[in-house]
Amino acid sequence: MSDADAAARRTLVDRLRERLDVTERTLSAIEAVPRHEFVPERLRSQAYDDRPLPIGHDQTISAPHMVAVMVDLLDLDPGDRVFEVGTGCGYHAAVVAEIVGPGTVYSVEYVPALADAARERLRRLGYAVTVRSGDGRDAFPDESPFDAAYLTCAAPDGVPDAILDRVVDGGHVVAPVGDAGGQRLVRLTVRATGVDREDHGGVRFVPMQ
Ligand code: SAH
């Protein structure tokens, strides 16, 4: 990795620290992941701009500030088992893996070509993340419940029960919900008695398939 990439990443993280109310743990994870390895070659010079970029198949890698906010809301600890719906290029999963460590991030991606590319990229970069191709509503049926889950695609009618059901009592689910008319970032806390919902503002994500 070049010094220029590392310097650009440090500058990005310094800006995020000024703008966002997120923990140093989250910022360190952003600083550790080589985002330029996750974007298409021709866009590498923009890898440390704080903006989403196209990754092919009509999908996008989220802006770094959005990844930082979502990771922070999950309130993760090392060893937590995390379920991601929407691997895309694998960047967000790598940031989560920096916090929870190897072997406990499970990610599902709808577009098989993106899943294959992300799996290979994450492996090459040393991230032990399990990537499957499929629909987030029925992925990893044999895995025991997750400590946390998040969606990187917007669920039009709210987070499907099939995903909420996979999370332990007291666990968080962070997701964009809504459609082209408007999306909100929400943090749900799953409880035996129901689901608590916090609103974290307007967002724009690709739709869930
Ligand atoms: N976290 C990703 C962002 C990917 S964009 C990154 O860092 O690059 C959202 C992704 O969700 C897209 O790749 C899209 O194909 C995927 N997706 C949409 N609907 C899905 C579904 N039902 N199950 C799994 N993945 C889905």
Side-chain angles (χ1 to χ4, degrees), residues 33-181:
V33 179
R35 190 169 186 259
H36 62 280
E37 297 276 4
F38 292 83
V39 304
E41 190 92 45
R42 68 192 161 80
L43 298 176
R44 281 199 170 185
S45 63
Q46 299 172 55
Y48 297 107
D49 295 351
D50 188 17
R51 50 177 293 213
L53 293 169
I55 55 171
H57 303 269
D58 292 329
Q59 306 303 332
T60 53
I61 176 175
S62 301
H65 76 270
M66 186 53 59
V67 174
V69 165
M70 290 179 71
V71 167
D72 210 73
L73 285 172
L74 281 182
D75 202 13
L76 299 168
D77 287 311
D80 278 355
R81 291 163 44 77
V82 185
F83 178 30
E84 176 184 68
V85 177
T87 322
C89 64
Y91 174 73
H92 200 146
V95 174
V96 169
E98 286 285 348
I99 294 175
V100 300
T104 62
V105 182
Y106 295 80
S107 183
V108 58
E109 167 55 49
Y110 198 77
V111 178
L114 287 175
D116 291 346
R119 184 185 302 110
E120 171 56 22
R121 179 181 297 114
L122 288 163
R123 191 201 56 74
R124 176 169 57 80
L125 296 172
Y127 291 104
V129 171
T130 306
V131 179
R132 294 255 171 85
S133 162
D135 181 349
R137 296 170 187 83
D138 51 27
F140 302 111
D142 301 331
E143 285 298 330
S144 45
F146 297 99
D147 296 302
Y150 62 98
L151 277 62
T152 70
C153 44
D157 306 314
V159 178
D161 286 344
I163 295 172
L164 295 176
D165 289 348
R166 307 302 306 281
V167 176
V168 297
D169 192 16
H172 292 311
V173 179
V174 171
V177 298
D179 55 25

Side-chain angles (χ1 to χ4, degrees), residues 14 18 22 29 41 54 100 117 128 141 145 150-151 162 181 188 192 202 204-205:
D14 286 344
E18 284 167 18
V22 298
E41 190 92 45
V100 300
Y150 62 98
L151 277 62
L188 309 176
R204 211 165 83 183
F205 282 75

